[in-house]
Amino acid sequence: MKNRIRKIGMIAAVTVAPLGAAAAGVSAADTEARVNELLGRMTLREKVGQLNQLNSAPFDTLSHAILTDGVGSIINETDVATVNRLQRIAVEQTRLGIPLIFGRDVIHGFHTLFPIPLGQASTWNPQLVEEAARVAAVEATARGVRWTFSPMIDIARDARWGRMAESAGEDPVLASRMGVAMVRGYQNGNLADKSSMAACAKHFAGYGFAEAGKDYNTTWIPDQLLEDVVLPPFEAAAKAGAATFMTSFNDINGTPSTANRKLLRDILRERWGFDGVVVSDWDAIYEVITHGVAANKDEATLLAAEAGVDIDMEGHCYIDRMEKLVESGKLSEATVDNLVRNVLRLKFRLGLFDNPYVEERSEYPSYAPAHLAKAAQVAEESVILLKNDGSTLPLGPAVRKIAVIGPMADAPHDQCGTWSLDLQKEHTVTPLAALREMYGDENIIYAPGLEYSRDKRTGRFAEAVEAARKADAVVCFIGEEAVMSGEGHCMADLDLKGAQSALVEALDATGKPLTLVFMAGRPLTVGREIAMADAALYSFHPGTMGGPAIANILSGRANPSGKLPVTMAKMAGQYPMYYASKNTGRPPLVTSQLDSIPLEAVQSSTGCTSYYLDAGTEPLYPFGYGLSYTTFDISAPVLSADEMDAGGAIDVTCTVRNTGSREGAETVQLYLTDPVASLARPLKELKDFHKVRLQPGEEREVKFRITVDDLMFTGADGKKIAEPGEFRVRVGASSDLKGEPAVFRLK
Ligand code: GLC
């Protein structure tokens, strides 16, 4: 057994970035004083009212809820005049004038829609994602939204789960960077700024491990998985100053997150020092009853309040039962006071007491040219080039006439993907529109072939085939309608729906150069269709400006640089599937293909190892994969030392060179392996990455730093440890690593 270095500091309370109070010129101490002074004047009913969030409803209903029940938060109201009318009631007609906070799911943009979060993660460009979140905040706050329920940083490793679309993918390092970027973009380092909105790290926690990829399903999460995979993005968000957290619908090992004291108090408050607001997911407090962990609203209210849920989102438990529970002595008012403090603190930090109203303007910032340009830039960097045989792409000068085919070529609603609540589809620029603009209407032959992704009618195939025959190149846009992914939209089968696959076959039969462009909310199992094509681009629902972005890539005006944030499996049955898997005791040395197995084969003839007879063990494409129109060479890593002591660090240097003929960006990824440890460890783990843009022939040195923290994992006793011994370092352009590792030892 290896000795163990216990990194005590690892679980000490981390310093949480100030939530903007200082930046607003008000010290934390002043804010706290204002909170306690106000709390001291509140009645029990007024306190309970602040712990409730109601959905937008007819004005009189909300007016009554504010005046009679003191409700302190509204979700889904984005009409500015109505926002101000409701706010005026709260501020001017209630005894203490406590302002409302208005929340909305601004998940990947408000009006200007960026790629869905899975697409934003495909950029591997946190700075760009932060800029996108800033645009979203500017547009949303102009409509009175000061709280968004984003970033969603659930780790997702099963594409059957519809909410993978909203995630930053399968890896905690990538998800952490993306989550922090969004927190920074939304909050802008100063919550009191009227263009800032409170971020919400969600869904806390473990939601992405819903059994069998079925939404809301139970999760079984051992400490090692919780601590080393699930929690890191949330810890990063807390450190970055995320103003709020949201509890997840699922139970973890039988305890619903909304009633989970270990999560909400021990980890979130005590260990991370979080002092913001915890809101339940929609109706999740009531659902503690449905889970079978509470017999009624009283028990659900008690469990949630004592676990540390500050606001009941549309569960009608707190508003119905909390006052009586306090009056009966079953719930202490001190517990309620602590919940109310968190809510008041957030409202003070947002500056709502000083500036409760939103400016009613003649013009709003939505769809500003700069916003649309940013959306196009993010969409461009999110597109992943999966295949490009014979340099089919970019479409060369000989390609004059292009056949544009497929149900996603001109789908302004579906191109924007899930959680596009404020979509105005007339603003969406589709690939068809963008290609017509770029090549001229007369050079674009459009024949969708299918009306929508689930369309099974093949009656319009002839028209599509005819269009292909008349063209120099065929581009077929296929994938998923927006409603096929997102909350409650899970799939057991990830093949293309409708007759899309048959459409690809029909186009393949024409023999014309065929490019497939996928637009989907998840990685689909599309190996068969990609095999028929010459080139393939993958775009996780690219948003408002997906058309220009894809047209720029098809034409070569832009060079694709997207990388997969999730593993693309060959078959749905391979999920959950992720690169950071373990070796097992029987890694497959060879895999037998189902059809090659002889009749009456000897039982052990296919090898008793860990793989599927019908799918092997490899993915279709690995995590971190994506091609470019140019080529890059990444040198082997060089270490600054071959030994590290407990407090030390090792620098890793490599060189990346653009060995091709055009400018492009490569994402150099650093992976670490702990080959022998007290627990079986993943074969490799992403520890850092750098996206580097290079001119042809240009090379650049890329530096990484590895510290003991990077070597830590959660041991069998649940404590974070780094064990002395050998560690292996590799760098590459995807998780499919080649070459010998560089080795160092932890003393
Ligand atoms: C939904 C989602 C959550 C969202 C909330 C408010 O059910 O689970 O992500 O923020 O309700 O719409």
Side-chain angles (χ1 to χ4, degrees):
M1 175 70 77
K2 292 179 162 182
N3 306 322
R4 291 179 174 182
I5 294 176
R6 291 203 187 290
K7 187 104 168 52
I8 307 303
M10 190 67 188
I11 56 173
V14 292
T15 48
V16 175
L19 282 169
V26 179
S27 72
D30 288 352
T31 299
E32 222 47 36
R34 292 177 78 178
V35 164
N36 286 315
E37 187 282 327
L38 177 54
L39 182 68
R41 290 186 281 133
M42 294 172 75
T43 65
L44 178 58
R45 166 157 296 217
E46 287 166 338
K47 293 175 183 178
V48 171
Q50 289 301 309
L51 306 183
N52 287 277
Q53 179 177 72
L54 296 184
N55 191 23
S56 177
F59 186 79
D60 293 346
T61 306
L62 291 179
S63 169
H64 177 269
I66 296 164
L67 289 170
T68 308
D69 298 325
V71 163
S73 176
I74 307 288
I75 178 177
N76 295 327
E77 182 52 66
T78 57
D79 173 73
V80 177
T82 306
V83 164
N84 280 333
R85 280 182 70 200
L86 292 167
Q87 190 68 286
R88 209 159 282 120
I89 291 173
V91 171
E92 297 169 17
Q93 297 179 36
T94 65
R95 191 175 73 87
L96 295 170
I98 300 173
L100 299 167
I101 180 170
F102 290 86
R104 181 72 163 173
D105 291 284
V106 184
I107 306 300
H108 54 105
F110 183 69
H111 282 141
T112 300
L113 289 163
F114 293 87
I116 56 173
L118 194 60
Q120 293 188 43
S122 304
T123 68
W124 290 60
N125 187 339
Q127 177 56 39
L128 192 56
V129 168
E130 179 178 339
E131 291 164 8
R134 185 87 294 269
V135 167
V138 166
E139 291 192 357
T141 54
R143 303 285 173 155
V145 175
R146 295 297 308 275
W147 185 10
T148 179
F149 303 113
S150 170
M152 191 275 216
I153 41 182
D154 299 300
I155 296 302
R157 296 178 161 179
D158 190 330
R160 293 174 294 177
W161 189 49
R163 303 201 76 166
M164 177 183 270
E166 306 167 51
S167 80
E170 70 182 62
D171 180 78
V173 168
L174 182 59
S176 298
R177 302 285 172 80
M178 291 298 151
V180 167
M182 288 184 179
V183 168
R184 292 164 57 89
Y186 295 143
Q187 299 186 173
N188 204 25
N190 176 11
L191 269 183
D193 181 307
K194 296 200 79 169
S195 76
S196 298
M197 55 185 184
C200 184
K202 74 181 187 183
H203 304 81
F204 195 56
Y207 189 20
F209 287 85
E211 200 166 80
K214 192 163 61 172
D215 206 356
Y216 315 114
N217 206 359
T218 186
T219 71
W220 288 100
I221 302 179
D223 276 350
Q224 286 73 21
L225 182 64
L226 182 72
E227 293 287 348
D228 298 345
V229 176
V230 171
L231 293 180
F234 288 100
E235 181 176 7
K239 275 186 184 174
T244 70
F245 269 58
M246 180 186 288
T247 65
S248 60
F249 286 123
N250 58 289
D251 72 273
I252 298 180
N253 313 338
T255 302
S257 299
T258 307
N260 192 322
R261 295 175 70 98
K262 174 185 171 186
L263 271 185
L264 303 181
R265 288 204 184 285
D266 303 348
I267 294 174
L268 181 58
R269 302 277 182 191
E270 303 307 318
R271 189 196 301 180
W272 297 346
F274 176 73
D275 70 351
V277 162
V278 172
V279 62
S280 76
D281 202 338
W282 190 289
D283 195 34
I285 294 179
Y286 183 85
E287 289 173 13
V288 176
I289 303 168
T290 320
H291 276 285
V293 176
N296 50 47
K297 280 187 170 185
D298 279 359
E299 289 184 11
T301 298
L302 282 169
L303 283 168
E306 287 170 349
V309 179
D310 300 312
I311 292 182
D312 174 359
M313 180 195 284
E314 269 292 337
H316 298 273
C317 288
Y318 282 12
I319 203 161
D320 288 356
R321 305 304 305 159
M322 187 172 268
E323 204 173 338
K324 294 182 182 63
L325 285 167
V326 173
E327 284 159 355
S328 67
K330 289 180 184 162
L331 176 63
S332 79
E333 188 155 0
T335 299
V336 172
D337 286 353
N338 286 332
L339 306 181
V340 177
R341 276 195 190 88
N342 295 330
V343 177
L344 296 181
R345 188 179 305 121
L346 175 63
K347 292 184 173 182
F348 276 114
R349 283 172 167 164
L350 282 165
L352 289 173
F353 284 89
D354 305 322
N355 295 294
Y357 302 110
V358 58
E359 183 190 352
E360 296 180 40
R361 314 179 189 195
S362 55
E363 277 197 37
Y364 287 86
S366 295
Y367 304 113
H371 294 181
L372 295 174
K374 188 57 68 182
Q377 184 188 358
V378 179
E380 240 174 53
E381 288 210 25
S382 73
V383 176
I384 301 155
L385 178 60
L386 296 177
K387 178 182 183 182
N388 192 16
D389 284 1
S391 298
T392 302
L393 295 179
L395 301 173
V399 172
R400 295 194 48 69
K401 292 222 180 281
I402 302 170
V404 173
I405 314 290
M408 298 299 288
D410 194 35
H413 171 91
D414 291 310
Q415 166 176 320
C416 291
T418 189
W419 288 108
S420 297
L421 301 185
D422 298 290
L423 164 68
Q424 295 171 4
K425 68 178 187 178
E426 62 275 16
H427 288 273
T428 304
V429 184
T430 66
L432 176 65
L435 289 166
R436 280 177 166 159
E437 172 73 23
M438 186 176 284
Y439 286 88
D441 289 8
E442 70 285 2
N443 292 315
I444 298 298
I445 313 165
Y446 174 55
L450 294 166
E451 195 178 329
Y452 53 94
S453 70
R454 288 167 290 159
D455 193 353
K456 297 182 175 65
R457 299 163 300 170
T458 59
R460 299 178 65 184
F461 278 21
E463 179 194 353
V465 167
E466 186 53 28
R469 288 216 168 87
K470 290 178 185 163
D472 303 314
V474 181
V475 185
C476 182
F477 295 83
I478 45 182
E480 289 182 309
E481 294 152 68
V483 76
M484 299 287 106
S485 65
E487 183 176 354
H489 301 150
C490 299
M491 294 281 185
D493 179 331
L494 298 175
D495 290 351
L496 287 168
K497 297 296 180 283
Q500 295 184 97
S501 190
L503 178 60
V504 173
E505 271 180 62
L507 296 172
D508 176 37
T510 69
K512 290 292 176 89
L514 174 60
T515 294
L516 300 180
V517 180
F518 295 91
M519 287 192 201
R522 54 163 61 87
L524 296 170
T525 47
V526 288
R528 183 170 165 276
E529 291 77 16
I530 291 178
M532 289 188 260
D534 300 291
L537 293 167
Y538 213 94
S539 166
F540 295 110
H541 287 131
T544 304
M545 298 301 280
I550 291 168
N552 283 345
I553 287 173
L554 288 168
S555 65
R557 294 185 189 182
N559 185 358
S561 63
K563 298 274 184 181
L564 285 171
V566 286
T567 299
M568 272 187 90
K570 292 173 189 157
M571 299 171 81
Q574 290 181 284
Y575 286 114
M577 187 174 203
Y578 47 97
Y579 81 89
S581 57
K582 295 179 184 166
N583 208 26
T584 76
R586 296 210 170 174
L589 306 175
V590 287
T591 58
S592 305
Q593 290 310 310
L594 190 65
D595 295 336
S596 65
I597 300 171
L599 296 178
E600 299 180 9
V602 172
Q603 176 172 316
S604 61
S605 63
T606 60
C608 301
T609 58
S610 178
Y611 76 97
Y612 303 95
L613 293 179
D614 55 354
T617 186
E618 294 304 312
L620 183 63
Y621 294 103
F623 171 83
Y625 172 87
L627 301 176
S628 169
Y629 291 154
T630 185
T631 51
F632 297 95
D633 176 67
I634 301 174
S635 72
V638 175
L639 306 185
S640 60
D642 56 13
E643 274 203 340
M644 184 197 288
D645 59 31
I650 282 187
D651 289 332
V652 182
T653 309
C654 67
T655 303
V656 55
R657 193 155 63 86
N658 181 340
T659 52
S661 58
R662 59 169 293 162
E663 184 260 5
E666 178 60 290
T667 301
V668 183
Q669 302 156 41
L670 174 79
Y671 292 87
L672 197 68
T673 300
D674 183 354
V676 179
S678 55
L679 294 180
R681 308 280 299 114
L683 285 166
K684 54 200 151 188
E685 290 179 294
L686 179 74
K687 291 297 176 183
D688 202 353
F689 57 88
H690 288 300
K691 188 166 189 174
V692 180
R693 192 166 288 282
L694 298 170
Q695 293 304 319
E698 185 184 2
E699 70 175 38
R700 191 155 325 147
E701 188 174 77
V702 179
K703 265 188 183 298
F704 301 96
R705 169 153 290 197
I706 296 175
T707 69
V708 173
D709 284 357
D710 296 311
L711 315 185
M712 309 286 288
F713 68 97
T714 299
D717 60 0
K719 292 187 170 50
K720 296 274 187 184
I721 47 173
E723 296 175 335
E726 178 184 306
F727 290 85
R728 297 172 185 162
V729 178
R730 284 184 285 184
V731 292
S734 86
S735 59
D736 183 16
L737 297 162
K738 314 289 185 204
E740 285 306 304
V743 177
F744 69 90
R745 295 189 66 79
L746 176 64
K747 284 194 283 190

